[in-house]
Amino acid sequence: MELIEKALEFETRKMRFPTTSDRIMAAREAKELILNLNEIYKKNKDEKIMEVMKRLTLIKQRIERRLKGKPLTS
């Protein structure tokens, strides 16, 4: 359950990354959290874990869009 707490902390953290390297590190951290949560989800099939993974995926996609230089609107 420590991993879920880490994911929730990442989710509530301020998403302000002034440099490109900060954005890259945040995207990698989000990816790592998602993959680790997925391993737990495969065993437990807990819907709470799936919801956390979905929210983290949205955050990761926003960061990656910003890295690619696309506008943040849908």
Side-chain angles (χ1 to χ4, degrees):
M1 291 302 143
E2 179 183 316
L3 188 61
I4 294 174
E5 291 172 11
K6 251 181 160 177
L8 293 175
E9 186 271 325
F10 179 82
E11 189 178 2
T12 57
R13 192 183 309 161
K14 236 182 192 178
M15 292 294 140
R16 192 172 152 235
F17 307 108
T19 65
T20 302
S21 62
D22 289 342
R23 289 184 202 107
I24 291 170
M25 290 177 62
R28 286 180 182 165
E29 183 180 354
K31 181 179 180 178
E32 180 184 342
L33 286 170
I34 292 166
L35 292 175
N36 290 334
L37 284 171
N38 190 35
E39 291 301 316
I40 295 171
Y41 179 76
K42 286 179 186 178
K43 296 174 189 168
N44 299 348
K45 302 290 184 195
D46 185 8
E47 286 301 314
K48 291 178 186 176
I49 296 174
M50 178 56 78
E51 292 301 317
V52 172
M53 286 186 342
K54 286 179 183 178
R55 292 193 306 259
L56 286 176
T57 301
L58 287 175
I59 291 170
K60 183 172 103 36
Q61 287 173 344
R62 276 190 220 130
I63 294 169
E64 288 174 345
R65 260 189 237 130
R66 180 75 174 97
L67 278 170
K68 293 177 183 174
K70 293 181 182 177
L72 291 177
T73 57
S74 302

